[in-house]
Amino acid sequence: MKPLIYIIIPLTFCLTACLGGKAPVNQFYLLDYPADYHSKGLDTLTTLHKTCRLNVVEVLAPFSSHQIVLRTDSHQVTFFAQNEWAVRPEQSLTQIAKTFLNEQRVFERTTTGSLILATDYTLQIQVRRLELIGEKKEYNAHLDMTFSLVDNYSDKVILEYNSSRIQPLDERSINLFVSVISQLFVEELDVFSKKILTKTPDEKAKAG
């Protein structure tokens, strides 16, 4: 197997994030909850009459740092020199997941943070790849994840969902890439939430 090669380089091709003809300026990007997101069908399901602890999203290296990853070949990645995450992906994605679970009322109560409260379930999310793929003139956003729901009483995974999404980008824009990644993350969390509400017993109708 060929080793995965990490290379740190300045941007050498034109992205809309560049400032042509000017001295390089660092640009910072934030994964955020899509303001106009609307779940299709989740609002027709009933809130699970259980409590859940949301673990901090686990993002595997090399995608866990402040550097945005561009995959240029099957085993080669580069890091943008002037384009970084404003907040590490694990922090941003955890906040997005918390917002989604609370807004959609998937569980009766969802907790996060260092305060330890007894809960029925633990939701674990692992991100294996979070990258911009550049191949010839095509650019794609790639997000590969696993969602797991753990029963805290038996300490067993009772529901698991693997997701790998590749979304073509209409333009070579890092801002668009970040927006698409945020959207894909919420869409796949939506899919897993529907699985939780349809395959996990002891549900309670949503109030109102």
Side-chain angles (χ1 to χ4, degrees):
M1 177 183 294
K2 293 189 287 185
L4 183 63
I5 303 172
Y6 303 152
I7 303 176
I8 301 179
I9 61 170
L11 279 172
T12 55
F13 54 89
C14 180
L15 289 168
T16 57
C18 297
L19 298 176
K22 297 182 180 180
V25 176
N26 284 357
Q27 305 289 330
F28 296 93
Y29 298 87
L30 181 66
L31 293 163
D32 204 0
Y33 190 83
D36 57 350
Y37 185 77
H38 178 70
S39 173
K40 295 181 180 179
L42 191 58
D43 56 351
T44 66
L45 300 174
T46 55
T47 298
L48 190 63
H49 187 44
K50 297 287 185 179
T51 56
C52 179
R53 175 179 174 78
L54 171 65
N55 280 357
V56 173
V57 174
E58 179 188 12
V59 182
L60 301 185
F63 313 101
S64 56
S65 74
H66 276 287
Q67 295 174 304
I68 299 174
V69 176
L70 169 67
R71 185 175 294 274
T72 55
D73 209 336
S74 60
H75 292 77
Q76 182 174 359
V77 298
T78 64
F79 302 97
F80 292 104
Q82 276 80 45
N83 300 278
E84 304 178 28
W85 297 117
V87 178
R88 289 181 185 273
E90 65 177 31
Q91 297 173 274
S92 298
L93 294 177
T94 301
Q95 184 58 48
I96 292 173
K98 179 182 178 181
T99 300
F100 177 88
L101 295 170
N102 286 331
E103 285 195 358
Q104 302 299 327
R105 299 181 63 191
V106 178
F107 299 96
E108 188 175 70
R109 186 182 77 243
T110 301
T111 63
T112 57
S114 57
L115 182 62
I116 300 176
L117 297 175
T119 57
D120 300 299
Y121 299 117
T122 295
L123 177 57
Q124 301 172 343
I125 305 173
Q126 183 186 77
V127 176
R128 291 182 295 271
R129 288 193 178 183
L130 193 171
E131 60 190 356
L132 174 64
I133 301 177
E135 297 178 349
K136 297 181 180 180
K137 294 183 178 180
E138 296 183 2
Y139 291 85
N140 300 275
H142 182 204
L143 187 60
D144 186 276
M145 304 176 288
T146 294
F147 298 85
S148 303
L149 187 67
V150 178
D151 185 316
N152 290 339
Y153 297 101
S154 65
D155 198 30
K156 293 181 178 179
V157 175
I158 61 172
L159 196 61
E160 191 168 82
Y161 171 59
N162 293 306
S163 165
S164 185
R165 296 280 302 275
I166 296 178
Q167 178 71 43
L169 302 180
D170 294 332
E171 57 182 289
R172 291 182 288 181
S173 163
I174 295 181
N175 192 68
L176 176 60
F177 161 71
V178 175
S179 176
V180 169
I181 288 291
S182 298
Q183 182 74 22
L184 294 179
F185 180 79
V186 171
E187 287 179 0
E188 293 308 295
L189 180 56
D190 193 324
V191 171
F192 187 61
S193 296
K194 290 187 179 77
K195 293 180 181 293
I196 291 173
L197 295 181
T198 56
K199 296 185 179 181
T200 307
D202 192 15
E203 298 178 359
K204 181 177 70 175
K206 287 184 177 179

Coordinates of all heavy atoms in Angstrom, one line a residue, residues 48-133:
L48 N -38.5 10.7 21.1 CA -38.2 9.5 21.9 C -38.2 9.9 23.4 O -37.5 10.8 23.8 CB -36.8 9.0 21.5 CG -36.4 7.6 22.0 CD1 -37.4 6.5 21.5 CD2 -35.0 7.2 21.6
H49 N -38.9 9.1 24.2 CA -39.1 9.4 25.6 C -37.9 8.8 26.4 O -38.0 8.0 27.2 CB -40.4 8.8 26.1 CG -40.7 9.1 27.5 ND1 -40.6 10.4 28.0 CD2 -41.1 8.4 28.6 CE1 -40.9 10.4 29.3 NE2 -41.2 9.2 29.6
K50 N -36.7 9.3 25.9 CA -35.4 8.9 26.5 C -34.5 10.1 26.5 O -34.7 11.1 25.8 CB -34.8 7.8 25.7 CG -35.6 6.5 25.7 CD -35.5 5.7 27.0 CE -36.3 4.4 26.9 NZ -36.2 3.6 28.1
T51 N -33.4 10.0 27.3 CA -32.4 11.0 27.4 C -31.1 10.6 26.7 O -30.9 9.4 26.6 CB -32.1 11.4 28.8 OG1 -31.7 10.3 29.6 CG2 -33.3 12.0 29.5
C52 N -30.4 11.5 26.2 CA -29.2 11.1 25.4 C -28.0 12.1 25.7 O -28.2 13.3 25.9 CB -29.5 11.2 23.9 SG -28.1 10.8 22.9
R53 N -26.8 11.5 25.8 CA -25.6 12.3 25.9 C -25.0 12.3 24.6 O -24.7 11.3 24.0 CB -24.7 11.7 27.0 CG -23.3 12.5 27.0 CD -22.4 11.9 28.1 NE -21.1 12.5 28.0 CZ -20.8 13.7 28.4 NH1 -21.7 14.4 29.0 NH2 -19.5 14.2 28.3
L54 N -24.7 13.5 24.1 CA -24.0 13.7 22.8 C -22.5 13.8 23.1 O -22.1 14.8 23.7 CB -24.5 14.9 22.0 CG -23.7 15.3 20.8 CD1 -23.8 14.2 19.7 CD2 -24.3 16.6 20.3
N55 N -21.7 12.8 22.6 CA -20.3 12.9 22.8 C -19.7 14.0 21.8 O -20.3 14.2 20.8 CB -19.6 11.6 22.5 CG -19.7 10.7 23.8 OD1 -20.2 11.0 24.8 ND2 -19.2 9.4 23.6
V56 N -18.5 14.5 22.1 CA -17.8 15.4 21.2 C -17.6 14.6 19.9 O -17.1 13.4 20.0 CB -16.5 15.9 21.8 CG1 -15.7 16.6 20.7 CG2 -16.8 16.7 23.0
V57 N -17.9 15.1 18.8 CA -17.7 14.4 17.5 C -16.2 14.1 17.4 O -15.3 15.0 17.5 CB -18.2 15.3 16.3 CG1 -17.8 14.7 15.0 CG2 -19.7 15.6 16.4
E58 N -15.9 12.9 17.0 CA -14.5 12.4 16.8 C -14.1 12.6 15.4 O -14.7 12.0 14.5 CB -14.3 11.0 17.2 CG -12.9 10.5 17.0 CD -12.8 9.0 17.3 OE1 -13.8 8.3 17.3 OE2 -11.6 8.5 17.3
V59 N -13.2 13.5 15.1 CA -12.7 13.7 13.7 C -11.3 13.1 13.7 O -10.4 13.5 14.4 CB -12.7 15.2 13.4 CG1 -12.2 15.4 11.9 CG2 -14.1 15.8 13.6
L60 N -11.1 12.2 12.8 CA -9.8 11.5 12.7 C -8.7 12.4 11.9 O -9.1 13.2 11.1 CB -9.9 10.2 11.9 CG -10.9 9.2 12.5 CD1 -10.8 7.8 11.7 CD2 -10.6 8.9 14.0
A61 N -7.5 12.2 12.3 CA -6.4 12.9 11.6 C -6.3 12.4 10.2 O -6.6 11.2 9.9 CB -5.1 12.6 12.4
P62 N -5.9 13.2 9.2 CA -5.4 14.6 9.4 C -6.5 15.6 9.3 O -6.2 16.8 9.1 CB -4.4 14.7 8.2 CG -5.1 13.9 7.1 CD -5.7 12.7 7.8
F63 N -7.7 15.2 9.4 CA -8.8 16.2 9.2 C -9.3 16.9 10.4 O -10.2 17.7 10.4 CB -10.0 15.4 8.6 CG -9.7 14.5 7.5 CD1 -9.5 13.1 7.7 CD2 -9.4 14.9 6.2 CE1 -9.1 12.2 6.7 CE2 -9.0 14.1 5.2 CZ -8.9 12.7 5.4
S64 N -8.6 16.7 11.5 CA -9.0 17.2 12.8 C -8.3 18.5 13.2 O -8.7 19.1 14.2 CB -8.7 16.2 13.9 OG -7.4 15.8 13.9
S65 N -7.4 19.0 12.4 CA -6.6 20.2 12.8 C -7.3 21.4 12.2 O -8.4 21.3 11.7 CB -5.2 20.1 12.3 OG -5.2 20.3 10.9
H66 N -6.7 22.6 12.4 CA -7.2 23.8 11.9 C -7.0 23.9 10.4 O -7.6 24.8 9.7 CB -6.5 25.0 12.5 CG -7.1 25.4 13.8 ND1 -8.3 26.0 14.0 CD2 -6.7 25.2 15.1 CE1 -8.6 26.2 15.2 NE2 -7.6 25.8 16.0
Q67 N -6.3 23.0 9.8 CA -6.0 23.1 8.4 C -7.0 22.4 7.5 O -7.5 21.3 7.8 CB -4.6 22.5 8.1 CG -3.5 23.3 8.7 CD -2.1 22.6 8.6 OE1 -2.0 21.5 9.0 NE2 -1.2 23.3 8.0
I68 N -7.4 23.0 6.4 CA -8.4 22.4 5.5 C -7.7 21.5 4.5 O -6.6 21.9 4.0 CB -9.2 23.5 4.8 CG1 -9.9 24.4 5.8 CG2 -10.1 22.9 3.7 CD1 -10.6 25.6 5.1
V69 N -8.2 20.3 4.4 CA -7.5 19.3 3.6 C -8.0 19.3 2.1 O -9.2 19.2 1.9 CB -7.7 17.9 4.2 CG1 -7.1 16.8 3.3 CG2 -7.1 17.8 5.6
L70 N -7.1 19.3 1.2 CA -7.3 19.1 -0.2 C -6.7 17.8 -0.7 O -5.5 17.6 -0.6 CB -6.8 20.2 -1.1 CG -6.8 20.0 -2.6 CD1 -8.2 20.0 -3.1 CD2 -5.9 21.1 -3.3
R71 N -7.5 16.8 -1.1 CA -7.0 15.6 -1.6 C -6.7 15.7 -3.1 O -7.7 15.9 -3.9 CB -7.9 14.4 -1.4 CG -7.4 13.0 -1.8 CD -8.3 11.9 -1.4 NE -8.4 11.8 0.1 CZ -7.6 11.1 0.8 NH1 -6.6 10.5 0.3 NH2 -7.7 11.1 2.1
T72 N -5.5 15.5 -3.5 CA -5.1 15.7 -4.9 C -4.9 14.4 -5.6 O -4.8 14.3 -6.9 CB -3.8 16.5 -5.0 OG1 -2.8 15.9 -4.2 CG2 -4.1 17.9 -4.6
D73 N -4.8 13.3 -4.9 CA -4.6 12.0 -5.4 C -5.1 11.0 -4.4 O -5.4 11.3 -3.2 CB -3.1 11.7 -5.8 CG -3.0 10.7 -7.0 OD1 -3.9 9.9 -7.2 OD2 -2.0 10.7 -7.6
S74 N -5.1 9.7 -4.8 CA -5.7 8.7 -3.9 C -5.0 8.6 -2.5 O -5.6 8.3 -1.5 CB -5.7 7.3 -4.5 OG -4.4 6.9 -4.9
H75 N -3.7 8.9 -2.5 CA -2.9 8.8 -1.3 C -2.1 10.1 -1.0 O -1.1 10.0 -0.3 CB -1.9 7.6 -1.4 CG -2.6 6.3 -1.4 ND1 -3.2 5.7 -2.5 CD2 -2.8 5.4 -0.4 CE1 -3.7 4.6 -2.2 NE2 -3.5 4.3 -0.9
Q76 N -2.5 11.2 -1.6 CA -1.8 12.4 -1.4 C -2.8 13.5 -1.0 O -3.8 13.7 -1.7 CB -1.0 12.8 -2.7 CG -0.2 14.1 -2.5 CD 0.6 14.4 -3.7 OE1 0.6 13.6 -4.7 NE2 1.4 15.5 -3.7
V77 N -2.5 14.2 0.0 CA -3.3 15.4 0.4 C -2.4 16.6 0.7 O -1.2 16.4 1.0 CB -4.1 15.1 1.7 CG1 -5.1 14.0 1.5 CG2 -3.2 14.9 2.9
T78 N -2.9 17.8 0.5 CA -2.2 19.0 0.8 C -3.1 19.8 1.8 O -4.3 19.6 1.9 CB -2.0 19.8 -0.5 OG1 -3.2 20.2 -1.0 CG2 -1.2 19.0 -1.5
F79 N -2.4 20.8 2.4 CA -3.1 21.7 3.3 C -3.0 23.1 2.8 O -1.9 23.6 2.4 CB -2.5 21.6 4.7 CG -2.5 20.2 5.3 CD1 -1.4 19.4 5.2 CD2 -3.6 19.8 5.9 CE1 -1.4 18.1 5.7 CE2 -3.6 18.5 6.5 CZ -2.5 17.7 6.4
F80 N -4.1 23.8 2.8 CA -4.1 25.2 2.4 C -3.3 26.1 3.3 O -3.4 26.0 4.6 CB -5.5 25.8 2.2 CG -6.3 25.1 1.1 CD1 -7.2 24.2 1.4 CD2 -6.1 25.5 -0.2 CE1 -8.0 23.6 0.4 CE2 -6.8 24.9 -1.2 CZ -7.7 23.9 -1.0
A81 N -2.5 27.0 2.8 CA -1.6 27.8 3.7 C -2.3 29.0 4.2 O -2.1 29.4 5.4 CB -0.4 28.2 2.9
Q82 N -3.2 29.6 3.5 CA -3.9 30.8 3.9 C -5.4 30.6 4.2 O -6.1 31.6 4.4 CB -3.8 31.9 2.9 CG -2.5 32.7 3.0 CD -1.3 32.0 2.3 OE1 -1.4 31.5 1.2 NE2 -0.2 32.0 3.0
N83 N -5.8 29.4 4.2 CA -7.3 29.1 4.4 C -7.4 28.0 5.5 O -6.9 26.9 5.3 CB -7.9 28.6 3.1 CG -7.8 29.6 2.0 OD1 -8.6 30.5 1.9 ND2 -6.8 29.4 1.1
E84 N -8.0 28.4 6.6 CA -8.1 27.5 7.8 C -9.5 27.5 8.4 O -10.3 28.3 8.1 CB -7.1 28.0 8.9 CG -5.7 28.1 8.5 CD -4.8 28.6 9.6 OE1 -5.2 28.4 10.8 OE2 -3.8 29.3 9.3
W85 N -9.7 26.5 9.2 CA -10.9 26.4 10.0 C -10.8 27.5 11.1 O -9.8 27.5 11.8 CB -11.2 25.1 10.6 CG -11.4 23.9 9.6 CD1 -10.5 22.8 9.5 CD2 -12.4 23.8 8.7 NE1 -11.1 22.0 8.5 CE2 -12.2 22.6 8.0 CE3 -13.6 24.6 8.4 CZ2 -13.1 22.1 7.0 CZ3 -14.4 24.1 7.5 CH2 -14.2 22.9 6.8
A86 N -11.9 28.2 11.3 CA -11.9 29.2 12.4 C -11.9 28.5 13.8 O -11.4 28.9 14.8 CB -13.1 30.2 12.3
V87 N -12.6 27.3 13.8 CA -12.8 26.5 15.0 C -12.5 25.0 14.5 O -13.0 24.7 13.4 CB -14.2 26.6 15.6 CG1 -14.3 25.6 16.8 CG2 -14.5 28.0 16.0
R88 N -11.9 24.3 15.3 CA -11.6 22.9 14.8 C -12.9 22.2 14.5 O -13.9 22.4 15.2 CB -10.9 22.1 16.0 CG -9.4 22.6 16.1 CD -8.8 21.7 17.2 NE -7.4 22.2 17.5 CZ -6.3 21.8 16.8 NH1 -6.4 20.9 15.9 NH2 -5.1 22.3 17.1
P89 N -12.9 21.3 13.5 CA -14.2 20.6 13.0 C -14.9 19.9 14.1 O -16.1 19.9 14.2 CB -13.7 19.7 12.0 CG -12.5 20.4 11.4 CD -11.8 21.0 12.6
E90 N -14.2 19.3 15.1 CA -14.9 18.5 16.1 C -15.8 19.4 17.0 O -16.9 19.0 17.4 CB -13.9 17.8 17.0 CG -13.0 18.7 17.8 CD -12.1 17.9 18.8 OE1 -11.7 16.7 18.4 OE2 -11.7 18.4 19.8
Q91 N -15.3 20.7 17.2 CA -16.1 21.6 18.0 C -17.3 22.1 17.2 O -18.4 22.2 17.7 CB -15.2 22.8 18.4 CG -14.1 22.4 19.4 CD -13.2 23.6 19.6 OE1 -12.2 23.8 18.9 NE2 -13.4 24.3 20.7
S92 N -17.1 22.5 16.0 CA -18.2 23.0 15.1 C -19.2 21.9 14.9 O -20.4 22.2 15.0 CB -17.6 23.5 13.8 OG -16.7 24.5 14.0
L93 N -18.8 20.7 14.5 CA -19.8 19.6 14.2 C -20.5 19.2 15.5 O -21.7 18.9 15.4 CB -19.0 18.5 13.6 CG -18.4 18.7 12.3 CD1 -17.6 17.5 11.8 CD2 -19.5 19.1 11.2
T94 N -19.9 19.2 16.6 CA -20.6 18.9 17.9 C -21.7 19.9 18.1 O -22.8 19.6 18.5 CB -19.6 18.9 19.1 OG1 -18.6 17.9 18.8 CG2 -20.4 18.5 20.4
Q95 N -21.4 21.2 17.9 CA -22.4 22.2 18.1 C -23.6 22.1 17.1 O -24.7 22.3 17.5 CB -21.8 23.6 18.0 CG -22.7 24.8 18.3 CD -23.3 24.7 19.7 OE1 -22.6 24.5 20.7 NE2 -24.6 24.8 19.8
I96 N -23.2 21.8 15.9 CA -24.3 21.6 14.9 C -25.2 20.4 15.3 O -26.4 20.5 15.2 CB -23.6 21.3 13.5 CG1 -22.9 22.6 13.0 CG2 -24.7 20.9 12.5 CD1 -22.1 22.4 11.7
A97 N -24.6 19.3 15.7 CA -25.4 18.2 16.1 C -26.3 18.5 17.3 O -27.5 18.1 17.4 CB -24.5 17.0 16.5
K98 N -25.7 19.2 18.3 CA -26.5 19.6 19.4 C -27.7 20.5 19.0 O -28.9 20.3 19.5 CB -25.6 20.4 20.4 CG -26.4 20.9 21.7 CD -25.4 21.6 22.6 CE -26.2 22.2 23.8 NZ -25.3 22.9 24.7
T99 N -27.5 21.5 18.2 CA -28.5 22.3 17.7 C -29.6 21.5 17.0 O -30.8 21.7 17.2 CB -28.0 23.4 16.7 OG1 -27.0 24.2 17.4 CG2 -29.1 24.3 16.2
F100 N -29.2 20.6 16.1 CA -30.2 19.8 15.4 C -31.0 19.0 16.3 O -32.3 18.9 16.2 CB -29.4 18.9 14.4 CG -30.3 18.0 13.6 CD1 -30.9 18.4 12.4 CD2 -30.6 16.7 14.1 CE1 -31.8 17.5 11.7 CE2 -31.5 15.8 13.4 CZ -32.1 16.3 12.2
L101 N -30.4 18.2 17.2 CA -31.1 17.3 18.1 C -32.1 18.1 19.0 O -33.2 17.6 19.3 CB -30.1 16.5 19.0 CG -29.2 15.6 18.2 CD1 -28.1 15.0 19.1 CD2 -30.0 14.4 17.6
N102 N -31.7 19.3 19.4 CA -32.6 20.1 20.3 C -33.8 20.7 19.5 O -34.9 20.7 19.9 CB -31.8 21.2 21.0 CG -31.0 20.6 22.1 OD1 -31.3 19.6 22.7 ND2 -29.9 21.3 22.4
E103 N -33.4 21.2 18.3 CA -34.5 21.9 17.5 C -35.5 20.8 17.0 O -36.7 21.1 16.9 CB -33.8 22.6 16.3 CG -33.2 23.9 16.6 CD -32.9 24.8 15.4 OE1 -33.2 24.3 14.3 OE2 -32.4 25.9 15.6
Q104 N -35.0 19.7 16.6 CA -35.9 18.6 16.1 C -36.5 17.8 17.2 O -37.4 16.9 16.9 CB -35.1 17.7 15.1 CG -34.5 18.5 13.9 CD -35.5 19.2 13.1 OE1 -36.7 18.7 12.9 NE2 -35.1 20.3 12.5
R105 N -36.1 18.0 18.4 CA -36.6 17.2 19.6 C -36.6 15.7 19.4 O -37.6 15.0 19.5 CB -38.0 17.7 19.9 CG -38.1 19.2 20.2 CD -39.5 19.6 20.6 NE -40.0 19.0 21.7 CZ -41.3 19.0 22.1 NH1 -42.2 19.7 21.4 NH2 -41.7 18.4 23.2
V106 N -35.4 15.3 19.0 CA -35.3 13.8 18.7 C -35.4 13.1 20.1 O -36.1 12.0 20.2 CB -33.9 13.5 18.1 CG1 -33.7 12.0 17.9 CG2 -33.8 14.2 16.7
F107 N -34.7 13.6 21.1 CA -34.8 13.0 22.4 C -35.5 13.9 23.4 O -35.6 15.1 23.1 CB -33.4 12.7 23.0 CG -32.6 11.7 22.2 CD1 -31.7 12.2 21.2 CD2 -32.7 10.4 22.3 CE1 -30.9 11.4 20.4 CE2 -32.0 9.5 21.5 CZ -31.1 10.0 20.6
E108 N -36.0 13.4 24.5 CA -36.6 14.2 25.5 C -35.6 15.2 26.1 O -36.0 16.4 26.4 CB -37.2 13.3 26.7 CG -38.0 14.0 27.7 CD -38.6 13.1 28.7 OE1 -37.8 12.5 29.5 OE2 -39.8 12.8 28.6
R109 N -34.4 14.8 26.2 CA -33.3 15.7 26.7 C -32.0 15.3 26.1 O -31.7 14.1 26.1 CB -33.2 15.8 28.2 CG -32.2 16.8 28.7 CD -32.1 16.8 30.2 NE -31.3 15.7 30.7 CZ -31.7 14.8 31.5 NH1 -32.9 14.7 31.9 NH2 -30.8 13.8 31.9
T110 N -31.2 16.2 25.6 CA -29.9 15.9 25.0 C -28.9 16.8 25.8 O -29.1 18.0 26.0 CB -29.8 16.3 23.5 OG1 -30.8 15.6 22.8 CG2 -28.4 16.0 23.0
T111 N -27.9 16.1 26.3 CA -26.8 16.8 27.1 C -25.5 16.7 26.4 O -25.2 15.8 25.7 CB -26.7 16.2 28.5 OG1 -26.3 14.9 28.5 CG2 -28.1 16.3 29.3
T112 N -24.7 17.7 26.7 CA -23.3 17.7 26.2 C -22.4 18.3 27.3 O -22.9 18.7 28.4 CB -23.1 18.6 25.0 OG1 -23.6 19.9 25.2 CG2 -23.9 18.0 23.8
G113 N -21.1 18.4 27.0 CA -20.2 19.1 28.0 C -19.7 18.1 29.0 O -19.9 16.9 29.0
S114 N -18.9 18.7 30.0 CA -18.3 18.0 31.0 C -19.2 17.5 32.2 O -18.8 16.7 33.0 CB -17.1 18.8 31.6 OG -17.6 20.0 32.1
L115 N -20.3 18.2 32.3 CA -21.3 17.8 33.4 C -21.8 16.4 33.1 O -22.5 16.2 32.1 CB -22.4 18.8 33.5 CG -23.4 18.6 34.6 CD1 -22.7 18.7 36.0 CD2 -24.5 19.7 34.5
I116 N -21.6 15.5 34.0 CA -22.0 14.1 33.8 C -23.4 13.9 34.4 O -23.6 14.0 35.6 CB -21.0 13.1 34.4 CG1 -19.7 13.3 33.8 CG2 -21.5 11.7 34.3 CD1 -18.6 12.4 34.4
L117 N -24.4 13.7 33.6 CA -25.8 13.4 34.0 C -26.1 12.0 33.5 O -25.7 11.6 32.4 CB -26.8 14.4 33.5 CG -26.6 15.8 33.9 CD1 -27.6 16.7 33.2 CD2 -26.8 16.0 35.4
A118 N -26.9 11.2 34.3 CA -27.3 9.9 33.9 C -28.2 10.0 32.7 O -29.2 10.8 32.7 CB -28.0 9.2 35.0
T119 N -27.9 9.3 31.6 CA -28.8 9.3 30.4 C -29.0 7.9 30.0 O -28.3 7.0 30.3 CB -28.1 10.1 29.3 OG1 -26.8 9.6 29.0 CG2 -28.0 11.6 29.6
D120 N -30.0 7.7 29.1 CA -30.4 6.4 28.6 C -29.4 6.0 27.5 O -29.1 4.8 27.4 CB -31.8 6.4 28.1 CG -32.8 6.7 29.2 OD1 -32.9 6.0 30.2 OD2 -33.5 7.7 29.1
Y121 N -29.1 7.0 26.7 CA -28.3 6.7 25.5 C -27.1 7.6 25.4 O -27.1 8.7 26.0 CB -29.1 6.8 24.2 CG -30.3 5.8 24.1 CD1 -31.6 6.3 24.1 CD2 -30.1 4.4 24.1 CE1 -32.6 5.5 24.0 CE2 -31.1 3.6 24.0 CZ -32.4 4.1 24.0 OH -33.5 3.2 23.9
T122 N -26.1 7.2 24.6 CA -25.0 8.0 24.2 C -24.9 8.0 22.7 O -24.9 7.0 22.0 CB -23.6 7.6 24.8 OG1 -23.7 7.7 26.2 CG2 -22.5 8.4 24.2
L123 N -24.9 9.2 22.1 CA -24.7 9.3 20.6 C -23.3 9.6 20.3 O -22.7 10.6 20.8 CB -25.6 10.4 20.1 CG -25.5 10.7 18.6 CD1 -25.8 9.4 17.8 CD2 -26.5 11.8 18.2
Q124 N -22.7 8.7 19.5 CA -21.3 8.9 19.1 C -21.2 9.1 17.6 O -21.9 8.4 16.8 CB -20.5 7.6 19.4 CG -20.5 7.3 20.9 CD -19.8 5.9 21.2 OE1 -19.7 5.1 20.3 NE2 -19.5 5.7 22.5
I125 N -20.4 10.1 17.2 CA -20.3 10.4 15.7 C -18.8 10.4 15.4 O -18.0 11.2 16.1 CB -20.9 11.8 15.4 CG1 -22.4 11.8 15.8 CG2 -20.7 12.0 13.8 CD1 -23.0 13.2 15.6
Q126 N -18.4 9.6 14.5 CA -17.0 9.6 14.1 C -16.9 10.1 12.6 O -17.6 9.5 11.7 CB -16.4 8.2 14.2 CG -14.9 8.2 13.8 CD -14.3 6.7 13.8 OE1 -14.6 6.0 12.8 NE2 -13.6 6.4 14.8
V127 N -16.0 11.0 12.4 CA -15.8 11.6 11.0 C -14.4 11.0 10.5 O -13.4 11.3 11.1 CB -15.8 13.1 11.0 CG1 -15.4 13.6 9.6 CG2 -17.1 13.6 11.4
R128 N -14.5 10.2 9.5 CA -13.2 9.6 9.0 C -12.6 10.4 7.9 O -11.4 10.5 7.7 CB -13.5 8.2 8.4 CG -13.9 7.2 9.5 CD -14.2 5.8 8.9 NE -15.3 5.8 8.0 CZ -16.6 5.6 8.5 NH1 -16.8 5.3 9.8 NH2 -17.6 5.6 7.7
R129 N -13.4 11.2 7.1 CA -12.9 12.0 6.1 C -13.7 13.3 6.0 O -15.0 13.2 5.9 CB -12.8 11.3 4.7 CG -11.7 10.3 4.6 CD -11.5 9.8 3.2 NE -10.4 8.9 3.1 CZ -10.0 8.3 2.0 NH1 -10.5 8.7 0.8 NH2 -9.0 7.4 2.0
L130 N -13.1 14.4 5.9 CA -13.7 15.7 5.7 C -12.7 16.5 4.8 O -11.8 17.1 5.3 CB -13.9 16.4 7.1 CG -14.8 17.6 7.2 CD1 -15.0 18.0 8.6 CD2 -14.3 18.8 6.4
E131 N -13.0 16.5 3.5 CA -12.0 17.0 2.6 C -12.6 17.5 1.3 O -13.7 17.2 0.9 CB -11.0 15.8 2.3 CG -11.7 14.6 1.6 CD -10.9 13.4 1.5 OE1 -9.7 13.4 1.8 OE2 -11.4 12.4 1.0
L132 N -11.8 18.4 0.7 CA -12.1 18.9 -0.6 C -11.3 18.0 -1.6 O -10.1 17.8 -1.4 CB -11.7 20.3 -0.8 CG -11.8 21.0 -2.2 CD1 -13.2 21.0 -2.6 CD2 -11.2 22.4 -2.1
I133 N -11.9 17.4 -2.6 CA -11.3 16.5 -3.5 C -11.1 17.3 -4.8 O -12.1 17.8 -5.4 CB -12.1 15.3 -3.8 CG1 -12.2 14.4 -2.5 CG2 -11.3 14.4 -4.9 CD1 -13.1 13.2 -2.7

